[in-house]
Amino acid sequence: MKKWSKKKKITILLLFLVLLALFAGLCWKKRRGIYNTYMKLTNQEIPYSVKEKRKKKYGYYGQKLNVTMDVDDTISIQENDDSANDIQTEIPQTKTLVATSYEIDQQLQAEQENGYTWDDPMVILNPYQISPLTAVVLFDTEEEYGVRFTVKGKTAAADISGEIDAASSHRVPIIGLYPGEDNTVVLELLDDSGRVKDSQEITITTEALPESLTDVIEPVETSGESAYDLTMVYGQRTHLPFAYDCMGDIRWYMNKETGNYGLYMLSNCRMIWQDTAGYVPNLEKPQSTNLYELDYLGRAYNMYYLSGGSHHEVIEKEPGGNLLVLTSSMQSHCEDKVEEIDRQTGAVVNELKLQDIIKCKYENLVDWAHINTVSYQPETDTILLSVRNLESVIKVNWTTKGIQWILCDPRFWEGTDYEKYVLKADGDFIYQFQQHTAYQIDTDLDGDDQTIEITMFDNHFLWRRKKDIDYYDKTEESYLLVYSVNEAEGTVKQIKKIPTVWSKITSAAIYEADSNHFFGMCGHVANAENGWKGMTYEFDYDTEKVLNQYCLKKTFYRAEEMRIDYNDLASPMELDENYIKGELWQPVKTWKWLWNKKPDQVLPADTLTYNITGKVLYIGTYDHQISQIIFKGAKNTYVYDTTEVRLHMETFLDFYENIPVPLQGMNADNYEIYVMYQDGFYDTQQTFAIN
C-alpha cells in the first residue's frame, strides 16, 4: 500500500482542520444561514430568537473580558442583614425594611411594658414610618378583654372597625384614619361573650395627604355603601398605594413607592410588595428583583430575591404555600416565564418558559407573550395563564407542562399546531383582545356542575398584534367577562358581559361571591373626560346596575379589596433567622487569573451609586449604561456580565436601576471594582474584602 509523505499528511490535516473550522462556524451561525434557508424552503416561520439578532439594540454592550454570564446559573441566598459584617468595605451599608421594622417593633414592645392604662393609653401614629394613616394604641387592663376599635366615618357605612382577641396587655392597631383631620376613634373592651364592658373616645390627628394623592379620586356616583370597606389602588403611575372607602375618601396609604406593578395580596392578609431598591436589566423595561412580605402597618417580615425580576403577578400557589411569580426567560424574549418559589427558602422549585411549549410564528416579538396573570388549580394540578399578546387564556398542567386548552378567537391559532387546543364556542359572542386578570372562580354562576367559570377583564384593545389580526372590531369599550367552560367537551360559553369605559392596558375584573357584586377596575382609561386616567366600578352581578363608580386622576395597575387581620397586626413580630432569601444572577469566575489590566481612567465619583445589603452589592446607574462589572482580586477575577441582555426599547434608557450583584459565591480576596460604562473601561475606586 502506498504511503503518504509527511508533508502530504500535514497538508491533509491542515485542510481537514480548516474545513472543520468552517463547518463549526456554519453550525454556530446556522440560524443566520443554513437554518434560515431550511426554514424558508419548508415554508416555516423563522423563530423570533433568530430574527431578533438583526434588530437594532440600545444601550452599551462593550466587553473587557470575553465571558458570558448564564442567567439560569443562579446563586442561592439565605442570610440576614448581619451578613454584611462578612464584607470589609467603605461602601455604605443599607438595612432591609425587615431589619428596620423589627427594630421599631422591639421598641414598641419595650414601650408597652411602661404600664399605660385604659384611662391613659399611649397613642403612636404611623409607628413604622411608612403608613401615615395608621396608629397603635398601647394600654394594660387588670383582666383579659378583647378590644374593638372604630374609626368614625363621615357616614355610618364609612366607619372602619376591627377587633383583637382577649389579653391584658394590648397593642391595638388602628387602620382607616382620615388624612389632615382630628379623627374620632372609639375603643371598646369586650368580655368573653362579646359584650361591651367599657368604652371611650380618643382623638388621633393626622397630617394632610402628599401632593401626589391630593384629589386623586372623585366619586361619579355612590350608593353610600360597598361590599368592600376599603378598596386598594396601586401600581403604574400610582406610585404610592392607597385605599378609599365607600364615599371615595382616602383612609390608608403608604409613603414608600412601589415598583411598576405595586403589590400582591396574600391569604394571611399581608402583601407581597414590589420594592424599588433592586432592578435587573431586561430586553424592555427593567424588572424589580426585591419583594417584601409586608403588612398594612408597614412591617416587613421577609425579603425575596428574584434573579430575573418580577412583573405583573405574584400569587400563592395555595393559601400559605409557595409563590407563583411571573418573570422573564431572557432568551430573546421577556415576560414569558413562570417560576414557583419555595416560600421558606426563596429557591426556584419549578418553572415554565412559554416558548418550551409554544413554538410558532407568534414568536416574532420580544414581548411575544406578555403573561399578566397566573393561578393554580390544585384539583387538576394546572395553572391558568392570561397571555395578553397571544390574545389567549391557556390552561397548562404544571407538572407535565401539557397544554389543556386555549380560550381565544379560533382565527388566531388557525393553521398552527395549537388550533386543536382552542375551545369551541357554544353560542355567539365577541372574543377578548389583550385581556387581563383571567382567573378560575369557585362560584357556580351558570348552575351547571359540569362546567367551570372564568372571570376576565377584556381590555378590548389591539396594539402588539396589529400585523397578525385583521378582525379587531374597535368597539372602544372594555368588558367584564365571565366564561363557562366545559372541559370534558372542549366548549365555552360567554355567560356575562358588562361594558365599562375603555381601558387599554392593566385593569382587573373581580367577582365578589358574598355580595354577588362584580368589580371593574379600569386602570388605564383612554379618551376620558376631564383628564381622568382611571375608573373603578361596582356592579350588581345579576342586574348589571352600577352601584358605585369613582374616577382617578392617575393610571394604576390594579385595585382590589383591602383584607385585614387585626390580630396579626396586634402581634409582636417574629422573624426567621434567614429572612433574606431567594436567587440572583451570579458573577462568572474567569479562568484568566493572570489578567492584571487596570483601567487607565477613573470614573467620576458621582457617576454611580453603591451600597451593600447583606452580602449583596448594589450599583446604581441608568438602564444599560453598564455592561460589565469586574471584580479584580489579588488571586481571583469575577465578572458580572449583561452584554447578552440587549435592550429593544430606547425609552427605558432613562430608567434608573440599582443592580444587585451577589458576593456570596466569591473566594476570599481583596477586590477592586472596575466597570465597562458606556463602552469605556473605568476604575470606580471602590474596594471590598472578603475574609
Side-chain angles (χ1 to χ4, degrees):
M1 186 174 75
K2 184 177 179 181
K3 294 183 178 180
W4 287 349
S5 67
K6 184 176 180 180
K7 183 177 180 181
K8 193 170 187 179
K9 289 180 180 179
I10 292 173
T11 302
I12 293 172
L13 178 61
L14 289 173
L15 181 61
F16 173 76
L17 292 174
V18 170
L19 291 173
L20 182 64
L22 288 172
F23 178 73
L26 284 171
C27 289
W28 187 69
K29 294 286 188 180
K30 69 177 181 177
R31 292 191 172 184
R32 298 290 297 276
I34 298 171
Y35 184 70
N36 286 10
T37 303
Y38 166 76
M39 295 294 283
K40 289 178 181 178
L41 289 174
T42 55
N43 294 316
Q44 298 184 59
E45 183 77 13
I46 300 171
Y48 183 73
S49 57
V50 178
K51 288 183 175 181
E52 70 92 18
K53 295 181 181 179
R54 307 171 192 171
K55 300 279 184 177
K56 185 175 181 180
K57 313 299 189 307
Y58 303 94
Y60 298 88
Y61 297 97
Q63 284 185 304
K64 193 62 180 178
L65 286 177
N66 187 22
V67 301
T68 300
M69 190 169 70
D70 183 359
V71 297
D72 289 325
D73 181 21
T74 58
I75 190 166
S76 175
I77 295 173
Q78 299 285 308
E79 62 183 22
N80 55 48
D81 282 79
D82 291 340
S83 301
N85 297 332
D86 296 337
I87 308 293
Q88 284 71 54
T89 182
E90 297 297 317
I91 296 173
Q93 178 183 346
T94 302
K95 291 183 178 181
T96 65
L97 193 57
V98 181
T100 56
S101 298
Y102 190 68
E103 287 176 2
I104 294 172
D105 202 75
Q106 291 293 293
Q107 293 169 8
L108 281 179
Q109 277 293 93
E111 189 69 24
Q112 194 163 354
E113 295 172 2
N114 287 332
Y116 297 103
T117 66
W118 167 250
D119 294 324
D120 188 18
M122 166 63 80
V123 179
I124 302 174
L125 180 67
N126 190 13
Y128 298 91
Q129 304 303 304
I130 65 172
S131 189
L133 301 183
T134 68
V136 295
V137 181
L138 307 179
F139 61 88
D140 294 339
T141 52
E142 292 183 1
E143 299 179 33
E144 289 195 347
Y145 291 109
V147 180
R148 178 167 57 220
F149 80 86
T150 301
V151 181
K152 299 302 290 181
K154 295 179 180 178
T155 66
D159 287 354
I160 302 298
S161 295
E163 291 185 17
I164 59 173
D165 291 341
S168 58
S169 183
H170 307 275
R171 184 198 292 197
V172 183
I174 308 295
I175 302 286
L177 300 170
Y178 287 96
E181 292 190 14
D182 295 331
N183 289 265
T184 298
V185 179
V186 178
L187 298 176
E188 297 172 297
L189 297 181
L190 309 176
D191 66 17
D192 55 8
S193 299
R195 294 188 295 262
V196 177
K197 302 300 291 182
D198 199 356
S199 67
Q200 65 169 316
E201 290 186 359
I202 61 173
T203 300
I204 302 179
T205 303
T206 56
E207 294 183 358
L209 290 171
E211 183 178 352
S212 65
L213 292 181
T214 301
D215 300 324
V216 76
I217 183 169
E218 179 179 301
V220 178
E221 57 180 295
T222 175
S223 63
E225 56 185 18
S226 171
Y228 293 169
D229 287 340
L230 292 171
T231 301
M232 298 177 65
V233 183
Y234 51 83
Q236 284 286 325
R237 294 295 181 184
T238 303
H239 299 303
L240 301 181
F242 69 90
Y244 63 86
D245 65 14
C246 62
M247 302 305 294
D249 291 308
I250 292 179
R251 308 287 293 275
W252 174 90
Y253 75 94
M254 291 284 195
N255 60 21
K256 174 180 170 59
E257 291 193 0
T258 66
N260 192 51
Y261 302 98
L263 54 93
Y264 313 92
M265 296 301 299
L266 297 171
S267 60
N268 61 5
C269 296
R270 298 175 185 171
M271 52 190 151
I272 293 292
W273 180 279
Q274 191 182 57
D275 198 39
T276 58
Y279 284 87
V280 288
N282 203 313
L283 300 151
E284 292 191 346
K285 59 176 164 288
Q287 305 289 6
S288 173
T289 57
N290 297 18
L291 298 176
Y292 280 112
E293 180 182 352
L294 200 69
D295 70 23
Y296 296 116
L297 292 175
R299 297 188 295 186
Y301 300 84
N302 291 288
M303 190 180 88
Y304 295 93
Y305 280 120
L306 300 172
S307 60
S310 64
H311 65 88
H312 286 94
E313 185 85 282
V314 179
I315 196 167
E316 289 169 300
K317 186 180 177 186
E318 296 181 72
N322 288 350
L323 303 174
L324 293 177
V325 180
L326 295 182
T327 182
S328 299
S329 69
M330 300 296 183
Q331 295 175 349
S332 306
H333 298 101
C334 63
E335 302 194 356
D336 61 341
K337 184 179 179 182
V338 184
E339 290 182 340
E340 179 180 341
I341 306 299
D342 185 285
R343 188 73 167 267
Q344 305 307 315
T345 67
V348 177
V349 295
N350 197 359
E351 66 177 26
L352 169 68
K353 298 175 184 175
L354 202 62
Q355 62 263 43
D356 288 344
I357 63 171
I358 295 179
K359 298 180 183 295
C360 66
K361 61 183 180 180
Y362 294 127
E363 292 181 86
N364 59 343
L365 302 172
V366 173
D367 188 11
W368 74 295
H370 197 101
I371 307 173
N372 56 37
T373 59
V374 59
S375 57
Y376 181 73
Q377 294 69 234
E379 64 277 5
T380 55
D381 186 31
T382 55
I383 57 171
L384 194 68
L385 301 172
S386 170
V387 191
R388 191 196 77 172
N389 287 351
L390 295 182
E391 316 295 338
S392 300
V393 175
I394 305 175
K395 200 169 196 178
V396 180
N397 185 282
W398 187 227
T399 300
T400 67
K401 307 301 185 287
I403 298 174
Q404 307 296 293
W405 50 256
I406 299 174
L407 173 52
C408 178
D409 190 314
R411 288 173 289 186
F412 186 79
W413 294 102
E414 189 175 2
T416 73
D417 292 338
Y418 306 96
E419 61 180 330
K420 61 187 176 184
Y421 298 110
V422 177
L423 295 169
K424 296 177 179 60
D426 184 353
D428 296 328
F429 51 80
I430 299 173
Y431 282 97
Q432 73 275 1
F433 290 92
Q434 293 197 184
Q435 76 290 330
H436 283 74
T437 60
Y439 297 115
Q440 181 175 322
I441 62 173
D442 295 330
T443 309
D444 182 2
L445 291 175
D446 67 348
D448 184 350
D449 61 6
Q450 300 303 306
T451 64
I452 60 171
E453 275 69 68
I454 307 294
T455 60
M456 179 191 303
F457 189 94
D458 174 15
N459 298 79
H460 222 76
F461 174 59
L462 189 63
W463 177 32
R464 292 292 197 181
R465 291 294 174 190
K466 289 181 180 179
K467 294 181 180 179
D468 300 308
I469 294 174
D470 60 5
Y471 47 85
Y472 174 51
D473 54 16
K474 300 180 181 178
T475 61
E476 294 196 358
E477 59 183 2
S478 297
Y479 305 96
L480 308 184
L481 301 181
V482 181
Y483 288 107
S484 172
V485 177
N486 188 314
E487 295 183 297
E489 297 179 2
T491 60
V492 59
K493 290 182 181 179
Q494 191 174 87
I495 63 173
K496 182 64 70 173
K497 178 183 177 184
I498 302 178
T500 71
V501 66
W502 194 26
S503 183
K504 291 184 175 182
I505 59 172
T506 66
S507 311
I510 306 169
Y511 175 75
E512 210 282 319
D514 290 340
S515 61
N516 196 36
H517 290 183
F518 208 4
F519 290 82
M521 309 304 196
C522 305
H524 207 283
V525 171
N527 308 323
E529 296 180 5
N530 303 321
W532 294 104
K533 302 297 184 183
M535 187 86 71
T536 63
Y537 296 88
E538 184 174 355
F539 296 94
D540 179 273
Y541 179 84
D542 293 328
T543 66
E544 301 182 11
K545 178 184 177 182
V546 176
L547 303 174
N548 295 297
Q549 182 181 353
Y550 309 91
C551 286
L552 294 99
K553 73 177 182 182
K554 294 190 176 187
T555 62
F556 60 88
Y557 176 55
R558 287 186 192 168
E560 62 183 307
E561 181 184 16
M562 186 172 178
R563 301 185 300 274
I564 306 171
D565 182 342
Y566 289 103
N567 281 308
D568 183 51
L569 297 179
S571 301
M573 288 182 66
E574 295 182 4
L575 294 185
D576 295 337
E577 180 181 357
N578 293 323
Y579 52 77
I580 305 175
K581 56 195 73 175
E583 298 182 1
L584 286 174
W585 298 342
Q586 62 177 327
V588 178
K589 184 177 182 182
T590 176
W591 58 269
K592 297 184 178 183
W593 60 275
L594 290 176
W595 186 80
N596 286 310
K597 295 182 179 178
K598 189 176 178 67
D600 295 327
Q601 48 193 345
V602 174
L603 198 66
D606 59 353
T607 307
L608 307 177
T609 59
Y610 313 87
N611 66 83
I612 283 182
T613 299
K615 292 172 71 174
V616 175
L617 169 69
Y618 291 80
I619 296 185
T621 179
Y622 287 96
D623 187 38
H624 280 80
Q625 305 300 294
I626 290 177
S627 53
Q628 284 190 329
I629 304 169
I630 298 169
F631 302 99
K632 181 66 179 70
K635 299 179 180 178
N636 305 276
T637 299
Y638 292 85
V639 184
Y640 187 89
D641 180 276
T642 60
T643 54
E644 292 297 313
V645 183
R646 302 298 178 99
L647 181 63
H648 290 252
M649 293 186 69
E650 188 176 15
T651 54
F652 293 112
L653 288 174
D654 62 358
F655 188 100
Y656 198 88
E657 61 194 10
N658 290 288
I659 304 170
V661 184
L663 309 180
Q664 286 85 345
M666 293 186 184
N667 292 334
D669 208 336
N670 295 317
Y671 292 96
E672 297 179 321
I673 303 175
Y674 309 149
V675 292
M676 284 296 300
Y677 177 80
Q678 296 186 352
D679 281 344
F681 184 43
Y682 293 93
D683 183 355
T684 68
Q685 293 193 323
Q686 302 291 328
T687 64
F688 63 90
I690 300 176
N691 294 329

